[in-house]
Amino acid sequence: MAVKKFRELDEALVRQKEAAFADFIQKQGLKTTRQRNTIISTFFRMRGHISVEELLNQVKQANPRIGYATVYRTLHLLVDSGLVEERRFGDGLARYEGHSDVEHHDHMICLECGEIFEFFNPRLEALQESLAEENDFQIFRHRLELYGACKDKDACQRRKSRTGAAAAEE
Amino acid sequence: MAVKKFRELDEALVRQKEAAFADFIQKQGLKTTRQRNTIISTFFRMRGHISVEELLNQVKQANPRIGYATVYRTLHLLVDSGLVEERRFGDGLARYEGHSDVEHHDHMICLECGEIFEFFNPRLEALQESLAEENDFQIFRHRLELYGACKDKDACQRRKSRTGAAAAEE
DNA sequence: TGGATTACGAAAACTGTTTTCAATATCGGC
DNA sequence: GCCGATATTGAAAACAGTTTTCGTAATCCA
Ligand SMILES: [Mn+2]
Ligand SMILES: [Mn+2]
Ligand SMILES: [Zn+2]
Ligand SMILES: [Zn+2]
């Protein structure tokens, strides 16, 4: 199957990432703090494409005193460390995901229910590469997003009336 | 050639678009105004992927009293009319382009010099479609952006030192 | 454990965009 | 052409998401 909605939560993998982040912090001469630990542990245990607000809400359950600034700052560190990627699907807010198994993947976004599907196709990747080469362009990274309607759930494909999530994202 | 940097400016085409916009305005029961006319005439005569600020600067040369609000509002109308598309290349600002000859196209963005190249590849489009179909996903629209270095100009591929445009976009 | 250094959190600042509101322009009907 | 209901304008305020500031507090190495 090319698409899967969410990767499963692997506790060992989470620990491995926490360790990798600790490593990064040390190598950068930064300090280990209670707040950062709380934030990254929380983050790596959440699934999906997580907004700052979503993360903060979750973080506050462990430590209500942690504020936006620290969450933003820690997310930047996570991105810098290479453990997390920032995404923007056009609804105005940054979303973050710790890419686990799949190094790179692209997204299908259902405009009706808001669901996000991930996929990866080598031919698609290769084709981009060859197109770039044709034009002497060297790709560092790319983003491919398919917006539309998934067939899942409550018949997203039937209500194309621009209501719900579709209207919300404008 | 699959890539071209800018389409040429065709005066007849510009007039045609102005007329199409006038049509849209009338059909929506809106009013023709001096400001809107100035803005769209200016816009359609500019090339590239135009930011609001760029457009306003140009517009002010024709009428310095026109402000941001009207430019924003008019751009929304242009998008609603279908004559213009909004783009976001990750530098935080919306850019607009009146797609002329090529109905749909994708972009390569040079992170060194900031240049934007347009391309269209039927195989790429078809592959996306077939991938979507495989997963019962119905594509309404998509965006594909290749970020990297172009071989043009002053050796963009040589300075990968994360300076210049590359550093600016973070 | 002292103390230079880094991090925190609340609030202010910022950026790009949208909305408000009082003043002005448009346009169909007279 | 003029009226007047309705739409539009522009300056400024509001907004949303994010970043920065700054005084206080935590970290961690010598
Ligand atoms: Mn993803
Ligand atoms: Mn374009
Ligand atoms: Zn890809
Ligand atoms: Zn395409």
Side-chain angles (χ1 to χ4, degrees):
Chain A
M1 179 179 45
V3 167
K4 62 173 160 173
K5 222 156 86 180
F6 289 125
R7 65 191 76 85
E8 66 294 339
L9 216 49
D10 180 341
E11 187 61 27
L13 202 66
V14 169
R15 298 246 177 71
Q16 184 183 311
K17 289 183 186 179
E18 290 174 340
F21 184 70
D23 248 50
F24 172 81
I25 288 294
Q26 221 140 23
K27 274 178 190 143
Q28 299 287 308
L30 306 176
K31 288 173 179 171
T32 303
T33 71
R34 194 176 312 285
Q35 291 92 331
R36 282 179 184 160
N37 287 339
T38 300
I39 291 166
I40 68 153
S41 304
T42 304
F43 177 82
F44 284 134
R45 269 163 250 270
M46 291 175 76
R47 47 177 59 188
H49 303 82
I50 302 157
S51 71
V52 177
E53 190 181 11
E54 283 165 5
L55 177 55
L56 179 63
N57 285 341
Q58 208 60 34
V59 161
K60 274 192 181 297
Q61 290 182 211
N63 179 352
R65 308 207 37 202
I66 295 179
Y68 269 104
T70 304
V71 169
Y72 272 109
R73 286 188 279 232
T74 305
L75 280 169
H76 289 332
L77 288 175
L78 282 167
V79 170
D80 290 348
S81 76
L83 290 167
V84 164
E85 279 190 51
E86 182 179 305
R87 306 280 186 194
R88 282 170 186 280
F89 296 127
D91 60 352
L93 34 136
R95 296 181 172 279
Y96 297 85
E97 67 173 328
H99 47 86
S100 51
D101 26 52
V102 197
E103 248 326 303
H104 161 79
H105 61 262
D106 299 300
H107 297 89
M108 300 184 195
I109 298 107
C110 178
L111 293 172
E112 295 300 331
C113 68
E115 204 66 77
I116 297 170
F117 303 86
E118 304 183 335
F119 68 94
F120 176 79
N121 182 275
R123 291 211 294 142
L124 201 53
E125 304 285 324
L127 192 45
Q128 290 173 52
E129 203 53 66
S130 75
L131 276 173
E133 228 164 285
E134 259 175 51
N135 296 285
D136 294 318
F137 190 89
Q138 183 191 355
I139 303 177
F140 295 167
R141 58 190 166 77
H142 73 256
R143 64 189 287 180
L144 172 60
E145 288 145 22
L146 313 182
Y147 295 90
C150 69
K151 214 172 195 168
D152 272 11
K153 296 194 165 181
D154 19 70
C156 287
Q157 303 215 0
R158 230 154 291 154
R159 38 179 167 113
K160 297 166 195 165
S161 39
R162 315 290 300 148
T163 55
E169 66 112 32
E170 340 220 15
Chain B
M1 178 180 45
V3 167
K4 61 172 160 173
K5 224 157 85 179
F6 289 125
R7 66 191 76 86
E8 66 294 339
L9 216 49
D10 179 342
E11 187 61 26
L13 203 66
V14 169
R15 299 247 177 72
Q16 183 182 312
K17 288 182 187 179
E18 291 174 339
F21 184 69
D23 249 51
F24 171 80
I25 289 293
Q26 220 141 24
K27 276 177 187 142
Q28 300 285 308
L30 306 176
K31 286 172 181 171
T32 303
T33 72
R34 192 177 316 282
Q35 290 92 330
R36 281 177 186 161
N37 287 338
T38 300
I39 292 167
I40 69 153
S41 302
T42 304
F43 177 82
F44 284 134
R45 270 164 249 270
M46 292 174 75
R47 47 177 59 185
H49 302 82
I50 303 156
S51 71
V52 177
E53 190 181 11
E54 283 164 5
L55 177 55
L56 179 62
N57 285 343
Q58 209 59 35
V59 161
K60 274 191 182 300
Q61 291 182 212
N63 180 351
R65 308 207 36 201
I66 294 178
Y68 269 104
T70 305
V71 169
Y72 273 109
R73 287 188 280 231
T74 305
L75 281 169
H76 290 331
L77 288 175
L78 281 168
V79 170
D80 290 349
S81 76
L83 289 166
V84 163
E85 279 191 51
E86 183 179 306
R87 307 279 185 195
R88 283 171 186 280
F89 296 127
D91 61 352
L93 34 135
R95 296 182 173 279
Y96 297 85
E97 69 174 327
H99 47 85
S100 52
D101 26 53
V102 197
E103 248 327 303
H104 161 78
H105 60 261
D106 299 302
H107 297 90
M108 299 183 194
I109 298 107
C110 178
L111 293 172
E112 294 301 333
C113 68
E115 203 67 76
I116 297 170
F117 303 86
E118 304 184 334
F119 68 94
F120 175 79
N121 182 276
R123 290 210 296 142
L124 202 53
E125 304 285 324
L127 194 44
Q128 290 173 52
E129 202 53 66
S130 75
L131 277 172
E133 227 164 285
E134 259 177 49
N135 296 286
D136 295 318
F137 190 88
Q138 183 190 355
I139 303 177
F140 294 168
R141 58 190 166 78
H142 72 257
R143 63 189 288 180
L144 171 60
E145 289 145 21
L146 313 182
Y147 295 90
C150 69
K151 213 172 198 169
D152 272 9
K153 296 193 164 183
D154 19 69
C156 287
Q157 302 215 1
R158 229 155 291 153
R159 39 179 165 114
K160 296 167 196 167
S161 40
R162 315 288 302 147
T163 55
E169 65 110 33
E170 344 218 11

